[in-house]
Amino acid sequence: MVPGEENQLVPKEDVFWRCRQNIFDEMKKKFLQIENAAEEPRVLCIIQDITNSKTVNERITLNLPASTPLRKLFEDVANKVGYINGTFDLVWGNGINTADMAPLDHTSDKSLLDANFEPGKKNFLHLTDKDGEQPQIMLEDSSAGDDSAHDRFIGPLPREGSVGSTSDYVSQSYSYSSILNKSETGYVGLVNQAMTCYLNSLLQTLFMTPEFRNALYKWEFEESEEDPVTSIPYQLQRLFVLLQTSKKRAIETTDVTRSFGWDSSEAWQQHDVQELCRVMFDALEQKWKQTEQADLINELYQGKLKDYVRCLECGYEGWRIDTYLDIPLVIRPYGSSQAFASVEEALHAFIQPEILDGPNQYFCERCKKKCDARKGLRFLHFPYLLTLQLKRFDFDYTTMHRIKLNDRMTFPEELDMSTFIDVEDEKSPQTESCTDSGAENEGSCHSDQMSNDFSNDDGVDEGICLESNSGTEKISKPGLEKNSLIYELFSVMVHSGSAAGGHYYACIKSFSDDQWYSFNDQHVSRITQEDIKKTHGGSSGSRGYYSSAFASSTNAYMLIYRLKDPTRNAKFLEVDEYPEHIKNLVQRERELEEQEKRQREIERNTCKIKLFCLHPVKQVMMENKLEVHKDKTLKEAVEIAYKMMDLEEVIPVDCCRLVKYDEFHDYLERSYEGEEDTPMGLLLGGVKSTYMFDLLLETRKPDQVFQSYKPGEVMVKVHVVDLKAESVAAPITVRAYLNQTITEFKQLISKAIHLPAETMRIVLERCYNDLRLLTVPSKTLKAEGFFRSNKVFVESSESLDYQMAFTDSHLWKLLDRHANTIRLFVLLPEQSPGSYSKRTAYQKAGGDSGNVDDDCERVKGPVGNLKSVEAILEESTEKLKSLSLQQQQDGDNGDSSKSTETSDFENIESPLNERDSSTSVDNRELEQHLQTSDPENFQSEERSDSDVNNDRSTSSVDSDILSSSHSSDTLCNADNAQIPLANGLDTHSITSSRRTKSNEGKKETWDTAEEDSGTDSEYDESGKSRGEIQYMYFKAEPYAADEGSGEGHKWLMVHVDKRITLAAFKQHLEPFVGVLSSHFKVFRVYASNQEFESVRLNETLSSFSDDNKITIRLGRALKKGEYRVKVYQLLVNEQEPCKFLLDAVFAKGMTVRQSKEELIPQLREQCGLELSIDRFRLRKKTWKNPGTVFLDYHIYEEDINISSNWEVFLEVLDGVEKMKSMSQLAVLSRRWRPSEMKLDPFQEVVLESSSVDELREKLCEISGIPLDDIEFAKGRGTFPCDISVLDIHQDLDWNPKVSTLNVWPLYICDDGAVIFYRDKTEELMELTDEQRNELMKKESSRLQKTGHRVTYSPRKEKALKIYLDGAPNKDLTQD
C-alpha cells in the first residue's frame, strides 16, 4: 500500500466510527426515554364515537402516560378521528347514559391521573356532540374539490355495501372524515321511535316539497278553536320549522304521532308508506275544511282517469270518471315470470285495454245484446305532483304466503307522460252519455272518496287536464303536449327487506341545489345519481354471492315526480318571507331549544348519587336518588335530602347530616364536620356517572350529639349474648381503629354496653362461616381480620362455660345454631275427612298404641292383588326400616352416647323425640295400609329443581292441591328486640353451612353415587335413617296466614337448621302432615308461585333462605332405584299422534313385562283403557319420534337406559306382537297414490334384516303392487313426516340405489322409521288451476294444524288509523 493512500483512508475510518458512535448515543437516549416512560404509569383510553350510526361500532385506543394533560388527550383524539378540536365532547362511558354525565374540559391542563383516569385499567370514553351539534370534520386538502361517490353513504344499514359505497367503513383504513354530517348537508334527520321509518320517509318527502311546505306555512293555527296537541297541521308545522331551523342532528316525531291519536304501542307497528300517505292526506283534508288549504291535496296530488267500455260492434262507449292520488304499477303481470323492465313499460300496461269476449261479453245498451267489447283506462288529468307506487308486495298462491318482488324496474329522472295519451281515441265526455254500464272498476286505481263532485269541478284545472268542453281547447299540438307533460323525479322512497318486514328510507333531490340526499331516519348524507340507480332492484354481478342476495331486497317502492313548469315550480320560502305566525313559531321553538340546552347543561353538572336514611320513627331504611348541582354546598344538599325523605314533620333539619356510606358493607366511612360550605362537586370528587360510595342522611335526637366518623375507623356491630335466656340481642354500633389491641377494644365495648371487661368473651364472625374467639389481649384488630364493617358477639357472665374449649362450649353451640337457623313457611295439604282420620291415627300412635289398630281399621279399604313396586326392590328394605325404628326406640330410651349433639333443650324441642317407642310397629302397619288403600292418591307428578321445562301431570290429589290459592303475603323479618333462639334469632342468617364438631370426618352430604336415579333413599346402607345420624335444630308452630290460603289449609312457621337433610326435615314434618315421609312430597315455592319438587333426600336445606315457602303434597315419594316415567300413547294414524296418558313408577331391575303389569290397572282406572298384557307394547320416545320397541324380557338399567322424568310410548296392537328379537326391524310404511293425490294410512312392516329386497317384498305383500314396480323413499323430519301431496311426488328421494337400509342416504338403523312407497306405473293426476288452488289451500291448512312444514308465521297486522280527535276509543265505528 502506498503511504499516501494510507493517509487518505484514516479520515474515512474516523468519520465512519464517529457516525457509528453518534447512532449509538441516539439509541441510548431513546432507550433511556423508553425506560423512564416505562416507569411512569400509563393510562389506556378507549374512545367510542356515538355521534353517527356508522362510527358507533368503531373504537379508538390511546395508551398515554398518566401525566398527559387533558388538553393533549383531546388533540390526540381529534387527530385520530379527523375532527376539529373543540367541536366535540368526551364523557365517561362504562355503559351509562351520556346525558347523565358532565363532559371533560378540553382546555384543562389537569393530568389524566388527576382527572380520575385509572392507570393499568381500561378507561372508556364516549365522543359526543357538543351542545347538540355534530363535530366538524377536518377537511383534507387532497379532497377539497373531490365530490366522488365513494365518500357517500346511502342505505338502511351501514353494513350494507350494496347501496352506496361504504368501503371506507368496512376497510381497515377507516376514516371518520368520510362521513358527512349535518353541518355539511344542512338537513336535520328524524328519530325512529321504534318502527316509524315509513313515517320518517314520508315526512321528509313532504318537507322537501316546496309547494306543500309553503302552503302548510301559510295556514295559521287558531288555539282558541283546537287543542294544539291534537292538531295534525299544527304539529306538522312545528316539525317542519324544527327541520328547517334546528341545530340538532335529529329531532323527535312523538308530537306528530301524538296528534294522530297514537300511543307508544303504535311505534312498534310497521305499516306501508303508501297506506300512510293516503290516510294522512285524508286526515289533513278533514282538518283543513273551510280553510284556504281545503283543496290543497287535490290541487297537488289528485288526477283523473276514465274507466271505459266500448262496444266493438256499434262503437258505443260507456264510461265513468275516477280520481286518483297515486298510480299503482304492477311489477310482474299475473301468471308471468318476467317483470316489466321499466316504469314506462308498466304505465303502458296500465292503460292497455282488454277484450271482453266469450263468457265475458259486455251487454251493449245500444245493441241490446251481449257483444265483444274493449275495456280499459284512459288518463284525463295528470296531477302537479305525480306519485307512482311500484307494487312490489304480492301473494304467492303456491306457498300461500305474502312475498316481495325484487325484480329490476328502471325509472327515468325525467318522465314524459304525453306518450301515455291516445289523442286520436280521446273523445269529449259530452259526446257520449255517462252511464253505469256495468263495467267494473278493476281496482287498479284508488277512487278518492273525499274529493269534490266532478260535475262542479270543471273550473278547477290545477293539473294537466286532457278533457275539454270545446274543440278549440283540445290539445292538438304534439310539441306543446309533450313539453307540458315532462315530470322530473325528486323523491324515491326505498324499502329494504321482505314482505314480513323491513326498513324504509327516502332519497330526495333538493330543488335548492339539485343535489340528491339520503334521509335515513336520523342520518342525512349526500348521494349521487349512481346511488339512485342502485334502487332499481335486481342483483348486480359485481357483488358477492351473499351481498347480492341482500342487496336485491333493497329497491324503490314509491316515486314522486314534479311537473316541470317554470310558471308553477315554487321555491322554498326564505326566513324573511315567513308569515308572521311562522316567525313567532320559529322564535318559540328556538327559545324551547335554548331552554333544553340549558337544562342539559344543568344535567351535566348535576351529581346523582344514592341516598339512604333510617327513618327515626318507623326504623325502616329508605332509599332515594339525590340529585344536586355540583356548586350546591353540603348544607344546601342536606336541606334537599331532608325534604326528599319527608322528615319535615318528624325532626328538625338541624338534627340531620349527610355522611359517606357504603351500603354493601353497611359501613359509615366518614362524616363531614366543618365542611358545610364546601361544594358537593368537590366533596364527591366531581360529577360522575356512578360513585363507588353512597350517602346516608343520619338523624339524631335533639338531646344527642353526632359522633365523628373518621376515614381510618372501622365499624363494629356488637351483639350481646345471654347464655341463660339463650338469646342474642339486636346490634349496637361502635367504631374502633385497626391498630387497637383486643384489650383496648374490650374497654371500648365495656363503655358502650356496660358489661365488665374482665369476664368478657368476644367472638368475631368472619366471612359468614367462621367464628373466631379473640383470646390474645395484645393482638390488634387488623391482625385478627377486622375490616370496614364487622360483626362480633359479646358474652360476659360468671358461668364456667368459658373454661371449656370454645368449640365444646355452650356459647359456640348457641352461635352456631343462631347462624344456621332459618325460618320457613310450610303449607300443609288440604285436610279432607279421609286424611284427617289418617292424621288422627298417626298422632294417637304417639300416645296410645292400643287405639292405633282401631283407627287404622276405620280408614282401611280393600287391598287389591296389585303387585307393588317395592316387591321389585331389595327384600331387606322393610327389615332395615324396622331395624332403624328399633334403633331410634333404643336411643330415645337413654342411649345418648350415640350423638354428641343431643342436648337437653334439643330433646325437648324436637317433635320426633316425643314419640313413644311403641309407635314403630304400628306406624309400619299404617304405612303398609297407606301404600295399598288408595293408590290413586299417590300417583302424582315428579318435578325437581333441575327439570323446570318438563311437562307437568298431576293426579287427583295434586290437582286439588294445585287448585287452591296460596298466600302471597310479604313475610316480615323479626324485630330488632331480643328474640329467643327458638323463635328464630337473626333472620339475616348465614347462607353457607358450617361443619359441626361431630361432623368432622363425616362423609359430605353432596353424595353423587345416587344421582342417576333422580332421587335418594331415605336410608343409608346400615339401615339407619339418614335424618337420625345427626340431630339438627327444628321447631314448628302454627302460623296464621292471610285469607288467600283457602279453607282447609294450615300453615306452619318452622325454624330449622339449614344443615339438616331433606330426609330428616320430612321426618320432622310427619306429625303435622299426618302420613309417613315416604307418602308426601316437598315443593319449594319460587317467585310467581312457581313450585318445583325437591327430591334429593341426602341434600341439605342450605339453598333455602329466610321466609322461603314450602308446599306439602300427598303422594308417594320415590325411593332409591325408582324413576318417574311419563307414558304417552302412540296413535300413528291420528292427527295428533302423541297423547299423554299418565305418570308411572318404574324400578331398576324390573322387566318390561312387569312394568306392563303395573300399568294395566292404572290405565283402566285413570284412562279407561282395558288392555291385556299381550295387546300393547312399550317403545322408546325421542321427542315425537317412536323408536326402539322394548321386548318383554328387557330389564331396566341393564338392557334399557332409564333416567329421571323418562318418557315412553305405549302402542296398542291390532294383533299378536310380531317383534320377538332385537335383530328385527319395525318400520312404518305409507302408500302414496299419485292418480288419486292421496296418502294411505300407516302400516307397520316388521323386517328380519336390514335388506332392501326384504322391504320391497313386504311392501309387495301388503299392497299387491308388483315387486318390480315398487318405489320407496324415506320420510323427512319428525314423525309423522308430513309432506304436502303436491310436493311428495317430486321432492322425496325415490328408489335410492342401495342394497341395505343402514347406509346413506337412508340410515335406517332403529325401529320407527317412516317409509313412503308407490307404484311407479301409476300416473300423476292432472289438475286444473282451480283444483290445484283448492288442494293448495287444503294442504296448507292441514300442515299448519299438524305443525309440519310451516316455517312462516305472519305477524298480525294492525290497521293504520289516524284519529282526528286524538282519542282512539271514540273512533271505533270508523274502519
Side-chain angles (χ1 to χ4, degrees):
M1 178 179 291
V2 180
E5 293 177 349
E6 185 178 357
N7 292 335
Q8 292 176 359
L9 289 175
V10 172
K12 289 183 179 180
E13 291 181 359
D14 187 46
V15 169
F16 170 75
W17 287 107
R18 193 180 301 117
C19 292
R20 185 176 180 184
Q21 186 63 38
N22 290 338
I23 293 174
F24 283 148
D25 292 341
E26 290 294 329
M27 292 178 63
K28 186 176 181 181
K29 288 181 181 178
K30 290 185 177 180
F31 281 131
L32 288 175
Q33 291 176 357
I34 295 173
E35 186 176 352
N36 293 333
E39 294 177 358
E40 181 182 359
R42 302 186 72 83
V43 174
L44 179 63
C45 303
I46 301 176
I47 300 100
Q48 178 185 12
D49 186 356
I50 62 173
T51 61
N52 193 289
S53 66
K54 292 184 62 181
T55 63
V56 73
N57 292 323
E58 294 294 324
R59 301 288 190 277
I60 303 121
T61 303
L62 297 174
N63 193 5
L64 304 173
S67 60
T68 303
L70 281 176
R71 170 178 45 79
K72 185 67 169 62
L73 171 65
F74 275 83
E75 293 174 1
D76 292 346
V77 172
N79 293 330
K80 192 85 171 178
V81 302
Y83 288 157
I84 297 176
N85 192 12
T87 65
F88 61 87
D89 281 333
L90 292 179
V91 298
W92 289 104
N94 302 322
I96 308 299
N97 187 359
T98 57
D100 295 339
M101 293 175 281
L104 301 175
D105 186 2
H106 72 282
T107 62
S108 174
D109 288 325
K110 185 187 297 186
S111 68
L112 298 182
L113 197 61
D114 295 335
N116 297 323
F117 284 75
E118 297 186 48
K121 294 185 179 180
K122 295 179 180 179
N123 297 271
F124 292 94
L125 298 172
H126 284 168
L127 191 153
T128 65
D129 298 340
K130 186 175 183 66
D131 299 330
E133 297 185 11
Q134 276 195 305
Q136 297 179 19
I137 291 176
M138 192 183 303
L139 296 178
E140 301 176 6
D141 296 337
S142 60
S143 60
D146 186 14
D147 199 25
S148 58
H150 74 275
D151 283 344
R152 314 245 183 320
F153 167 68
I154 177 177
L157 296 172
R159 63 180 175 87
E160 184 177 347
S162 61
V163 185
S165 176
T166 57
S167 58
D168 287 340
Y169 175 74
V170 297
S171 66
Q172 295 299 322
S173 58
Y174 172 73
S175 172
Y176 278 76
S177 60
S178 66
I179 300 168
L180 303 180
N181 56 25
K182 182 199 66 178
S183 61
E184 291 188 357
T185 63
Y187 294 103
V188 179
L190 294 175
V191 176
N192 191 335
Q193 296 182 36
M195 293 183 178
T196 57
C197 53
Y198 66 99
L199 173 66
N200 294 348
S201 302
L202 180 61
L203 291 176
Q204 292 282 19
T205 297
L206 296 177
F207 172 74
M208 296 294 287
T209 306
E211 292 77 9
F212 186 89
R213 191 204 299 184
N214 295 345
L216 182 65
Y217 281 174
K218 291 177 183 177
W219 176 81
E220 185 173 0
F221 172 67
E222 298 291 342
E223 191 167 356
S224 60
E225 298 179 2
E226 190 178 6
D227 184 1
V229 175
T230 60
S231 176
I232 297 173
Y234 176 67
Q235 294 301 334
L236 283 177
Q237 238 182 29
R238 288 188 63 240
L239 182 75
F240 282 15
V241 166
L242 289 173
L243 285 173
Q244 194 167 355
T245 62
S246 177
K247 296 180 181 180
K248 295 180 180 178
R249 178 180 58 184
I251 57 177
E252 298 281 351
T253 59
T254 50
D255 289 339
V256 175
T257 56
R258 191 178 295 114
S259 71
F260 291 169
W262 294 359
D263 56 19
S264 58
S265 64
E266 287 286 348
W268 296 93
Q269 295 288 333
Q270 191 173 75
H271 293 291
D272 186 277
V273 68
Q274 186 265 349
E275 179 187 11
L276 173 68
C277 182
R278 300 299 308 280
V279 175
M280 184 188 291
F281 282 175
D282 288 346
L284 286 173
E285 283 188 321
Q286 290 290 321
K287 289 287 186 178
W288 277 335
K289 279 184 177 180
Q290 299 177 353
T291 66
E292 292 182 9
Q293 291 74 22
D295 206 37
L296 176 65
I297 301 300
N298 294 338
E299 292 173 1
L300 295 179
Y301 295 94
Q302 182 177 273
K304 301 177 188 176
L305 56 77
K306 179 197 289 186
D307 186 353
Y308 68 91
V309 180
R310 174 176 293 178
C311 178
L312 295 180
E313 293 188 13
C314 68
Y316 173 81
E317 182 176 294
W319 53 268
R320 71 175 181 221
I321 294 178
D322 285 332
T323 62
Y324 63 89
L325 294 179
D326 55 67
I327 303 174
L329 299 180
V330 175
I331 297 289
R332 189 190 302 167
Y334 179 75
S336 173
S337 60
Q338 187 68 30
F340 293 124
S342 64
V343 163
E344 296 94 324
E345 189 177 336
L347 279 168
H348 279 294
F350 182 81
I351 60 175
Q352 181 69 32
E354 61 174 323
I355 302 300
L356 302 179
D357 56 5
N360 295 325
Q361 277 188 325
Y362 161 69
F363 184 84
C364 179
E365 294 288 343
R366 182 177 297 175
C367 299
K368 301 298 182 183
K369 66 174 183 177
K370 286 190 175 183
C371 305
D372 290 350
R374 188 194 318 172
K375 181 182 186 302
L377 300 171
R378 188 177 296 127
F379 288 113
L380 302 178
H381 183 107
F382 284 109
Y384 177 70
L385 297 173
L386 179 65
T387 304
L388 304 179
Q389 181 203 5
L390 308 185
K391 300 184 68 175
R392 292 196 174 272
F393 299 110
D394 203 350
F395 189 80
D396 188 349
Y397 287 96
T398 303
T399 60
M400 304 300 289
H401 297 154
R402 286 182 62 197
I403 60 171
K404 182 184 176 186
L405 303 176
N406 295 310
D407 302 83
R408 180 178 178 82
M409 176 178 278
T410 63
F411 45 86
E413 188 172 3
E414 288 191 352
L415 179 62
D416 183 3
M417 293 301 293
S418 63
T419 59
F420 305 105
I421 302 300
D422 189 353
V423 179
E424 295 180 0
D425 189 52
E426 182 61 36
K427 296 181 181 180
S428 173
Q430 289 188 349
T431 63
E432 302 170 358
S433 62
C434 180
T435 64
D436 186 2
S437 61
E440 194 175 348
N441 189 343
E442 293 297 323
S444 299
C445 218
H446 302 284
S447 178
D448 188 1
Q449 304 296 331
M450 310 287 301
S451 64
N452 297 329
D453 190 347
F454 278 94
S455 61
N456 300 323
D457 195 34
D458 295 336
V460 179
D461 189 17
E462 297 298 331
I464 306 301
C465 186
L466 298 178
E467 70 171 321
S468 175
N469 292 333
S470 66
T472 59
E473 294 179 4
K474 191 181 299 184
I475 296 175
S476 59
K477 295 181 181 180
L480 176 62
E481 177 187 323
K482 186 169 184 177
N483 291 335
S484 62
L485 291 176
I486 301 298
Y487 284 82
E488 62 175 327
L489 179 69
F490 78 95
S491 176
V492 181
M493 278 172 263
V494 183
H495 181 268
S496 175
S498 66
H503 178 68
Y504 284 101
Y505 62 96
C507 301
I508 306 174
K509 183 174 76 171
S510 170
F511 290 113
S512 301
D513 57 5
D514 288 335
Q515 171 64 48
W516 282 92
Y517 296 92
S518 169
F519 291 84
N520 190 356
D521 289 337
Q522 58 262 45
H523 307 293
V524 184
S525 55
R526 188 177 290 120
I527 57 176
T528 66
Q529 189 62 37
E530 290 300 316
D531 296 316
I532 300 299
K533 292 180 180 179
K534 293 174 184 177
T535 65
H536 289 169
S539 59
S540 173
S542 62
R543 303 188 185 98
Y545 175 77
Y546 293 104
S547 62
S548 67
F550 184 79
S552 63
S553 68
T554 302
N555 32 54
Y557 181 63
M558 277 187 71
L559 309 173
I560 301 183
Y561 286 83
R562 187 177 77 163
L563 180 68
K564 293 187 72 173
D565 184 356
T567 62
R568 296 191 58 194
N569 294 156
K571 295 184 178 180
F572 296 112
L573 291 177
E574 298 296 334
V575 177
D576 56 351
E577 299 174 336
Y578 285 168
E580 194 63 30
H581 64 275
I582 295 296
K583 291 180 179 178
N584 296 334
L585 181 59
V586 170
Q587 184 62 29
R588 289 199 302 271
E589 294 300 331
R590 284 178 176 171
E591 291 174 357
L592 285 174
E593 193 165 306
E594 287 298 321
Q595 184 179 349
E596 291 178 4
K597 183 178 177 180
R598 289 192 296 270
Q599 186 61 34
R600 286 198 304 270
E601 189 66 26
I602 293 174
E603 288 288 328
R604 289 177 176 179
N605 290 282
T606 299
C607 303
K608 299 177 181 180
I609 188 170
K610 273 187 179 182
L611 175 67
F612 295 88
C613 177
L614 182 64
H615 197 280
V617 176
K618 301 177 182 178
Q619 292 297 308
V620 175
M621 182 66 79
M622 301 181 293
E623 180 180 348
N624 212 322
K625 189 173 185 180
L626 177 63
E627 298 184 5
V628 59
H629 194 275
K630 65 177 183 179
D631 296 332
K632 293 280 186 181
T633 64
L634 176 62
K635 184 178 181 180
E636 293 172 320
V638 170
E639 294 175 355
I640 295 173
Y642 174 74
K643 295 177 181 178
M644 186 180 295
M645 290 300 182
D646 295 327
L647 300 180
E648 294 95 332
E649 307 277 332
V650 183
I651 55 172
V653 68
D654 296 337
C655 295
C656 301
R657 70 170 179 176
L658 286 174
V659 296
K660 194 175 181 180
Y661 176 60
D662 182 356
E663 180 206 6
F664 182 78
H665 296 99
D666 193 17
Y667 169 59
L668 297 173
E669 294 192 24
R670 61 158 297 185
S671 54
Y672 299 102
E673 285 84 4
E675 300 187 59
E676 288 77 11
D677 296 327
T678 305
M680 290 297 292
L682 189 60
L683 279 180
L684 300 179
V687 180
K688 299 180 181 180
S689 58
T690 181
Y691 292 90
M692 301 301 293
F693 57 90
D694 313 301
L695 291 178
L696 174 73
L697 185 64
E698 192 178 21
T699 61
R700 62 174 175 84
K701 295 180 181 179
D703 56 343
Q704 292 179 332
V705 178
F706 279 124
Q707 183 181 351
S708 177
Y709 306 141
K710 298 180 181 179
E713 295 176 334
V714 295
M715 191 169 70
V716 184
K717 292 184 178 180
V718 181
H719 294 262
V720 178
V721 180
D722 189 337
L723 291 181
K724 293 182 179 179
E726 293 189 349
S727 64
V728 178
I732 298 173
T733 302
V734 299
R735 297 181 70 87
Y737 289 98
L738 291 176
N739 57 1
Q740 283 182 325
T741 64
I742 299 299
T743 301
E744 295 170 339
F745 184 55
K746 286 184 178 181
Q747 296 294 334
L748 179 65
I749 294 179
S750 176
K751 294 179 181 178
I753 61 176
H754 307 294
L755 289 178
E758 294 77 14
T759 58
M760 184 180 294
R761 285 187 292 174
I762 301 178
V763 178
L764 171 66
E765 183 178 88
R766 303 192 309 178
C767 304
Y768 302 110
N769 63 351
D770 182 17
L771 294 176
R772 181 184 183 89
L773 182 64
L774 308 182
T775 56
V776 182
S778 59
K779 209 168 185 180
T780 63
L781 300 186
K782 183 177 182 180
E784 290 288 3
F786 278 68
F787 191 56
R788 287 185 173 185
S789 182
N790 309 274
K791 184 178 180 181
V792 299
F793 299 92
V794 175
E795 190 273 332
S796 182
S797 65
E798 305 252 337
S799 66
L800 300 178
D801 188 61
Y802 72 94
Q803 296 179 356
M804 303 177 63
F806 177 56
T807 53
D808 294 330
S809 66
H810 189 188
L811 175 62
W812 187 89
K813 292 181 180 179
L814 195 63
L815 296 179
D816 178 71
R817 197 173 73 191
H818 167 265
N820 288 282
T821 299
I822 57 175
R823 181 174 64 181
L824 303 176
F825 294 91
V826 180
L827 177 65
L828 299 176
E830 186 175 354
Q831 298 299 324
S832 61
S835 60
Y836 178 79
S837 62
K838 296 172 188 176
R839 181 177 176 182
T840 304
Y842 190 98
Q843 290 175 341
K844 286 185 177 181
D848 187 2
S849 60
N851 294 334
V852 173
D853 294 336
D854 297 336
D855 292 329
C856 289
E857 287 298 325
R858 285 198 296 269
V859 298
K860 275 187 180 180
V863 179
N865 296 324
L866 305 182
K867 186 175 183 180
S868 72
V869 178
E870 286 83 350
I872 311 301
L873 300 175
E874 301 174 2
E875 297 179 358
S876 60
T877 301
E878 289 296 332
K879 295 180 181 180
L880 291 174
K881 188 182 293 187
S882 176
L883 177 61
S884 68
L885 293 173
Q886 184 64 37
Q887 289 172 343
Q888 178 186 351
Q889 172 187 348
D890 295 340
D892 291 343
N893 286 339
D895 189 5
S896 60
S897 62
K898 296 180 180 179
S899 174
T900 60
E901 286 290 80
T902 306
S903 62
D904 294 338
F905 67 89
E906 288 171 337
N907 283 329
I908 292 173
E909 293 178 346
S910 172
L912 286 183
N913 291 340
E914 297 177 2
R915 293 187 296 181
D916 190 79
S917 61
S918 61
T919 63
S920 58
V921 178
D922 296 321
N923 285 345
R924 186 163 63 251
E925 180 182 348
L926 178 61
E927 180 191 10
Q928 293 170 353
H929 150 69
L930 289 172
Q931 290 174 357
T932 57
S933 62
D934 192 4
E936 194 174 6
N937 280 350
F938 303 116
Q939 296 298 326
S940 57
E941 35 110 14
E942 175 88 8
R943 188 165 188 178
S944 65
D945 295 349
S946 60
D947 298 322
V948 175
N949 295 322
N950 290 332
D951 297 331
R952 286 188 72 133
S953 312
T954 57
S955 65
S956 57
V957 171
D958 290 338
S959 298
D960 293 338
I961 296 174
L962 276 172
S963 64
S964 64
S965 59
H966 300 281
S967 173
S968 59
D969 300 335
T970 302
L971 305 176
C972 300
N973 293 334
D975 297 331
N976 290 329
Q978 289 193 4
I979 307 172
L981 191 63
N983 288 334
L985 283 169
D986 185 6
T987 56
H988 302 284
S989 59
I990 298 172
T991 56
S992 57
S993 60
R994 226 181 280 131
R995 188 176 298 179
T996 60
K997 181 180 179 182
S998 60
N999 253 346
E1000 293 177 3
K1002 179 180 175 290
K1003 182 182 177 182
E1004 287 285 342
T1005 59
W1006 300 91
D1007 191 356
T1008 58
E1010 296 166 340
E1011 271 190 13
D1012 294 338
S1013 66
T1015 186
D1016 301 307
S1017 173
E1018 295 186 32
Y1019 301 91
D1020 62 6
E1021 295 178 357
S1022 66
K1024 187 174 180 64
S1025 170
R1026 292 173 184 256
E1028 298 168 22
I1029 294 177
Q1030 177 191 346
Y1031 172 73
M1032 296 293 177
Y1033 178 76
F1034 178 97
K1035 182 176 181 179
E1037 53 187 318
Y1039 170 73
D1042 284 351
E1043 296 179 357
S1045 308
E1047 294 186 13
H1049 286 289
K1050 291 188 177 180
W1051 286 86
L1052 289 178
M1053 182 169 62
V1054 176
H1055 293 89
V1056 62
D1057 193 316
K1058 62 185 176 184
R1059 294 168 295 184
I1060 195 172
T1061 63
L1062 179 61
F1065 180 67
K1066 290 181 66 176
Q1067 289 180 2
H1068 282 295
L1069 289 175
E1070 285 179 357
F1072 306 98
V1073 181
V1075 296
L1076 294 177
S1077 60
S1078 59
H1079 288 80
F1080 67 85
K1081 296 180 287 185
V1082 175
F1083 287 82
R1084 185 172 180 177
V1085 183
Y1086 289 88
S1088 303
N1089 286 331
Q1090 289 183 325
E1091 299 179 356
F1092 303 111
E1093 184 180 358
S1094 299
V1095 296
R1096 298 193 177 277
L1097 299 175
N1098 63 338
E1099 288 186 3
T1100 65
L1101 303 184
S1102 58
S1103 63
F1104 288 74
S1105 57
D1106 273 324
D1107 298 338
N1108 279 172
K1109 293 182 181 180
I1110 290 175
T1111 298
I1112 303 298
R1113 290 187 184 168
L1114 299 178
R1116 188 176 70 76
L1118 296 180
K1119 296 184 178 180
K1120 184 177 180 180
E1122 293 182 342
Y1123 303 88
R1124 190 79 62 188
V1125 178
K1126 295 183 181 297
V1127 182
Y1128 294 81
Q1129 185 175 3
L1130 177 63
L1131 304 165
V1132 293
N1133 287 309
E1134 296 291 334
Q1135 183 175 339
E1136 181 52 55
C1138 181
K1139 176 185 176 184
F1140 176 78
L1141 293 177
L1142 50 81
D1143 280 327
V1145 177
F1146 291 178
K1148 176 182 177 181
M1150 177 187 285
T1151 65
V1152 172
R1153 187 174 183 87
Q1154 288 171 332
S1155 64
K1156 288 165 67 175
E1157 291 173 350
E1158 291 276 345
L1159 286 174
I1160 288 175
Q1162 299 178 43
L1163 292 169
R1164 181 173 58 251
E1165 295 171 8
Q1166 299 184 35
C1167 308
L1169 291 177
E1170 193 69 43
L1171 300 175
S1172 62
I1173 195 168
D1174 295 325
R1175 295 303 295 271
F1176 73 95
R1177 64 161 68 130
L1178 300 180
R1179 65 189 304 167
K1180 183 179 180 181
K1181 179 179 181 292
T1182 306
W1183 194 34
K1184 294 183 178 180
N1185 298 312
T1188 308
V1189 175
F1190 299 147
L1191 305 181
D1192 285 352
Y1193 56 83
H1194 284 164
I1195 300 175
Y1196 296 115
E1197 285 214 352
E1198 292 184 13
D1199 304 311
I1200 302 171
N1201 291 328
I1202 189 170
S1203 60
S1204 180
N1205 289 288
W1206 196 48
E1207 296 180 342
V1208 296
F1209 270 130
L1210 182 149
E1211 185 179 10
V1212 180
L1213 302 175
D1214 296 330
V1216 180
E1217 175 65 80
K1218 297 179 182 178
M1219 292 290 292
K1220 304 294 184 183
S1221 168
M1222 288 296 293
S1223 61
Q1224 293 176 306
L1225 188 65
V1227 297
L1228 294 167
S1229 65
R1230 196 171 191 186
R1231 180 172 179 176
W1232 159 240
R1233 298 183 182 270
S1235 61
E1236 303 175 33
M1237 298 294 287
K1238 74 172 188 178
L1239 287 162
D1240 286 354
F1242 280 105
Q1243 286 183 282
E1244 186 179 72
V1245 175
V1246 178
L1247 305 176
E1248 299 299 327
S1249 66
S1250 296
S1251 170
V1252 170
D1253 293 337
E1254 184 183 358
L1255 173 63
R1256 292 178 180 273
E1257 292 172 0
K1258 293 286 186 179
L1259 295 177
C1260 177
E1261 291 177 11
I1262 63 175
S1263 65
I1265 303 173
L1267 186 62
D1268 295 337
D1269 295 336
I1270 286 182
E1271 291 183 337
F1272 72 93
K1274 182 184 177 183
R1276 297 174 182 170
T1278 59
F1279 185 81
C1281 304
D1282 263 332
I1283 186 173
S1284 172
V1285 295
L1286 296 172
D1287 302 331
I1288 187 173
H1289 201 70
Q1290 65 273 4
D1291 280 8
L1292 293 183
D1293 185 13
W1294 291 97
N1295 208 26
K1297 305 301 181 182
V1298 293
S1299 58
T1300 59
L1301 301 176
N1302 56 2
V1303 297
W1304 185 88
L1306 297 177
Y1307 285 128
I1308 299 176
C1309 305
D1310 198 3
D1311 303 326
V1314 173
I1315 295 293
F1316 294 100
Y1317 67 96
R1318 68 185 180 188
D1319 186 346
K1320 69 179 182 180
T1321 62
E1322 189 174 348
E1323 295 293 334
L1324 185 66
M1325 177 191 289
E1326 293 186 6
L1327 301 173
T1328 65
D1329 290 343
E1330 184 178 349
Q1331 288 174 326
R1332 179 173 293 276
N1333 289 338
E1334 186 65 28
L1335 188 58
M1336 213 178 285
K1337 293 177 182 178
K1338 289 182 180 179
E1339 285 296 284
S1340 178
S1341 175
R1342 178 180 69 86
L1343 294 178
Q1344 282 184 353
K1345 289 180 181 178
T1346 58
H1348 291 80
R1349 295 290 299 273
V1350 179
T1351 58
Y1352 173 74
S1353 179
R1355 168 175 54 91
K1356 185 177 181 181
E1357 296 186 3
K1358 185 177 180 181
L1360 190 149
K1361 292 183 181 180
I1362 291 179
Y1363 305 95
L1364 299 182
D1365 56 359
N1369 56 342
K1370 298 180 182 180
D1371 197 35
L1372 298 176
T1373 59
Q1374 300 179 14
D1375 192 0

